[in-house]
Amino acid sequence: MSPFVATYPPLEQITQLKDGSVTFYAVLEVPKSLAPNSWQLALWHSTGSFDGRKASWVETPFASSGQSNFPSTLHDPADQLTRLHFALDLTVQSSLSFTIKFRQGPDHDWKWVRNEQGLGDGYIVVEDGAAEGSDSEDLPDLIHGLNPSLKWSSHLSQCPGTRLWSIGVPVDGAKDDDNSTFSNVPLGTPWGGFLRWFALVRDWSPWLAPRQGRSTVELDKDALLCSFLSSKGKHLVFLGFAGINKAVDGMTLFRSDESGRLTIHVRNDSAEAGSGTVLVAVGDNFESANAAVMYHARGLVSTTDRTGESSKEPETLSDNVEANWYDNWYDGLGYCTWNALGQRLTAENVIMAVDALADNNIHISNLIIDDNWQDIDYCGDQWQQGWNDFEAEPKAFPNGLKGLISEIRSKHKNIEHVAVWHALLGYWAGIAPDGNLAKRYRTIEVVRGEDSSRKNIPLAGKMTVIAQEDVHKFYDDFYRFLSESGVAGVKTDGQFMVDMWVSPKVRRELIQPYLDNWLLASLSHFSGRAISCMSLSPQIIFHTQLPRGRPTMLCRNSDDFFPEVPSSHPWHVWANAHNSLLTQHLNTLPDWDMFQTAGAYAGFHAAARCVSGGPIYITDVPGQYNLDLIKQMTGVTPRGRTVIFRPSVLGRSLDQYVNYDDLSLLKISAYNGRAVTGTPIMGLFNVSGRPLTELVPLARFSGVLPSMWYVVRSHQSGEVTAPVQTTSSASLLMVSLDNGGYDILSVFPMSLYETESRGRVYVASLGLVGKMAGAAAMLNHSTDLLENGRLFISTRLKALGVLGIYISHLPELSIQDEFMATIQGQPIPPHTVTVSKTSSHVIDIDIESAWNEMGLDAGWSNEVEVKVYFTLEK
């Protein structure tokens, strides 16, 4: 095995620092047989301008790091390897590029990490508050060569530490009823040159996907969002605005020209000339600048007048919308028939699937009956087929939807919601021209645009859809039929089809009625229990998903889960993590799609769903389940309901500018609970195609404060660090993941107590250990030192399981003599309290076993309170 070097700051990435005092840490993994005491490392770094062509380079040797300076190890190396630790201190003036070389000893040749591991130079940027983006500079100072024909204006940003502008892009009205107007306008070069760029592009009409690059922007698809990192550590974010009945009835996107400059691409469906809108913000970090443009876009949407019956605000339906506890919809485990049962659904195989779940003690709350239950005309390709009538296909569902759902509910009381799939326009080709629906509602024939090259899907051609006059009645009648049949929600797919219509007249007249009336009907009949799918088209995003003042809906966050395509699995998680950088600001709950718990990458997908903050639903083939993995994702409440654990802050990529092909772990940042006392969470995923070891600073976790003490727990290894602060070298977390490997790290704030007999004692509740997002099972926790010298720890949980509690002095204590634990005020059996097998400082309390042995009753509560007392002062 070849030696492997991991560093912080990392190679091949850009690290932004607040000041120029830098300690470089390096870990060298080498075979134990290669004389580990003789290895040498050296830093090769620039000393002048950031531009390597003008800088001189020098060598600075690393020193072997003492035992007390070791980073915190959460994953042990392979048996045949050992780890050597090195460090050096350096002062960086404004920027620095660097690489590493190493050798076994003075008698051996130096080897470069670039050649041995394929890792490029690392870059350090020291933030300069007086640099680009300061109040003294304006948009032309930030966009070099800014097109003088564009009109721009500054605005007050709602996000502290950022500045904001809008750019107007004039565009002519549509040429005629059959042809929209498109305009391509040069914009300029952000910063006049940049270190890295990131974009969310229209991968194809329904979906967004990430793109990253270095000093030249090369967009292969139209982009909705772009960001550029300057050599001074500033972030310049561009957002193209899209709308319906706005200044431009269409969308504004970004392209790049052959010289690498950014250009603006505007579509206008309105008959009148107008102006596309670009929003621009600059800030010290991406998240702030990104939030600034999204907040302003929401303001543009909310201040635009809307007219007409079809576009009345959902707030006016308050009398018709049933109150609903949304955690019942979001937080229950779900099951979808799509990959599990495939096409040509029947009532028999749906019943068989839910029976098989129950036989394996898998208790779902939500069942989604996906595509192929409908009565369609089966003419030609699936994408050319239309919908006949509301009722299910009569041969496959002889007792209709109502009969099927009644049977499911009578046999499986745990299934609270049955949802059904349908396309926004009915089916993939809308309405069957000769079907019953075409006879009951007025229809028109529209033309869809070119076929999808992304999927080789034959979309082009004519389709029949419900006419504008009957869209409201159509959705109201359909959803009333579903509701009377026992359906409690819908998955509304193919929403992008409205963006495939060619005619600007059709787009003007139909897009808004379809979007508005679908939303109104879903609120009226299902209290917002709807999944918006294939809907990441710009006009849908800004019109339906961005506005507030209505219940949050589920929205699919990326292209599909493809179980039979191995290469798609890491990309699926990567795309979702980066798409969430935008969708976190929408009035939606991102849905990272169903997945299967058996097979390759099953745990990878499961961990991603657990840190996403969105729903979890599986699509396992009946009988093919990974029960242990399902148990890691879920817990059982005191009332017997199976729930998932969603972080309260949505998961999203932490490294926007890192490319998919870079040798770096994907880091998904989430958070649960209140500020300061909550739990930062990070999912780590190896998408690189080879094993990786990285040093991850504690300071990179969202919500971590320099003044506080923390412990960090690895879900995979069960290892827990010693108490650390961000200023300690031990706050560097050493993470090693195999190809396709994953882990979830949870950071727990400590309570500190100074005692006479034991010195300083640290304690923390760790949530439900053994659960991927077990930290999110904690509703609240507190500690208190009582007058009798005992420490009291109270933890309220949303489900049963094993509660972990960290106590720094646990090895000095006797569980038998110095501990007492209660559930709902009653002492628990002593054998359910043990020392963790993976950490001698963690006590495990098996509250699930204790609850069952004690025969406790949940009563009115659906939570469990655990109280722990132990002797602190002798």
Side-chain angles (χ1 to χ4, degrees), residues 624-701:
Q624 298 181 21
Y625 316 110
N626 184 330
L627 298 179
D628 177 68
L629 190 61
I630 293 173
K631 188 174 181 180
Q632 292 180 54
M633 296 186 292
T634 64
V636 178
T637 70
R639 290 185 176 180
R641 184 172 185 264
T642 298
V643 296
I644 64 173
F645 308 112
R646 293 190 303 108
S648 52
V649 176
L650 299 176
R652 70 275 183 212
S653 173
L654 192 61
D655 297 312
Q656 305 83 21
Y657 302 103
V658 172
N659 196 293
Y660 183 69
D661 295 324
D662 291 345
L663 297 176
S664 174
L665 297 177
L666 168 64
K667 303 170 186 69
I668 300 177
S669 175
Y671 189 90
N672 188 71
R674 298 180 179 179
V676 182
T677 60
T679 305
I681 299 171
M682 184 184 293
L684 297 125
F685 302 85
N686 188 353
V687 301
S688 71
R690 74 183 203 189
L692 287 180
T693 294
E694 283 194 20
L695 300 176
V696 181
L698 176 62
R700 295 216 67 199
F701 287 73

Side-chain angles (χ1 to χ4, degrees), residues 342-415:
Q343 300 187 7
R344 299 296 187 264
L345 283 181
T346 66
E348 182 180 4
N349 61 23
V350 173
I351 291 292
M352 177 267 295
V354 294
D355 286 348
L357 290 168
D359 291 343
N360 285 272
N361 204 31
I362 302 170
H363 300 299
I364 63 170
S365 297
N366 305 315
L367 170 65
I368 301 172
I369 301 174
D370 212 291
D371 191 3
N372 292 292
W373 68 269
Q374 290 169 287
D375 181 9
I376 57 178
D377 59 9
Y378 293 111
C379 295
D381 184 274
Q382 177 184 20
W383 300 91
Q384 308 302 324
Q385 295 169 356
W387 190 23
N388 286 321
D389 210 345
F390 291 156
E391 186 55 270
E393 206 284 322
K395 293 182 180 179
F397 298 84
N399 297 319
L401 267 183
K402 188 171 185 177
L404 171 63
I405 294 173
S406 295
E407 183 176 354
I408 290 172
R409 290 189 181 280
S410 67
K411 295 174 65 176
H412 304 285
K413 303 299 183 183
N414 54 287
I415 298 180

